[in-house]
Amino acid sequence: MITALTVAVGGCALALAAWCGFAAYRDQPTKDWHFIGMAVVSLLALVQLVVGVVRLAGGDRPDQG
């Protein structure tokens, strides 16, 4: 796993949760921008998955088992 990408996924997911939570608090409907944010978080997670699988297939082993 790439540490910077892991932090980016977590940070984006937390920011999206705060943004959607604030919109829910203000009783606003889900908008297209929220779905775009969800797509970005999903895309980052998918990239992390692909990187992990490629590194495992290439012979890398986890540091902590």
Side-chain angles (χ1 to χ4, degrees):
M1 301 285 178
I2 298 175
T3 305
L5 188 55
T6 303
V7 171
V9 171
C12 285
L14 286 173
L16 178 64
W19 183 27
C20 291
F22 183 68
Y25 174 75
R26 294 182 60 192
D27 201 27
Q28 294 179 339
T30 304
K31 298 181 180 171
D32 289 340
W33 290 108
H34 294 112
F35 290 111
I36 292 170
M38 291 177 215
V40 168
V41 171
S42 297
L43 182 64
L44 287 172
L46 186 62
V47 167
Q48 182 73 299
L49 173 69
V50 169
V51 166
V53 169
V54 167
R55 288 184 68 180
L56 279 174
D60 281 354
R61 292 289 158 222
D63 292 336
Q64 300 173 354

